[in-house]
Amino acid sequence: MEISLLGTGLLGAAIGERLLGSGYRLTVWNRHADRCAPLQALGATVAATPAEAVAATEV
């Protein structure tokens, strides 16, 4: 399943780590792109805009 996560602050980053650890494909976006780097290192795809983040995801 492909999931989008908009917002990678403290809560979003923790949710993202859990989703990636559970084997989900994850696309993330944050208005400060550098906040996506830790999740990208774990395998998440980083989107440039919120619309791009949700364009090809199921949830």
Side-chain angles (χ1 to χ4, degrees), residues 7 14 22:
S22 296

Side-chain angles (χ1 to χ4, degrees), residues 3-58:
I3 299 175
S4 291
L5 179 64
L6 305 179
T8 57
L10 291 175
L11 182 58
I15 292 169
E17 287 179 27
R18 178 68 60 113
L19 290 169
L20 289 165
S22 296
Y24 292 101
R25 292 185 312 269
L26 185 65
T27 300
V28 296
W29 171 85
N30 195 73
R31 62 186 163 159
H32 302 289
D34 59 316
R35 297 293 304 262
C36 295
L39 292 174
Q40 185 177 29
L42 294 174
T45 300
V46 177
T49 66
E52 181 184 311
V54 301
T57 60
E58 300 170 72

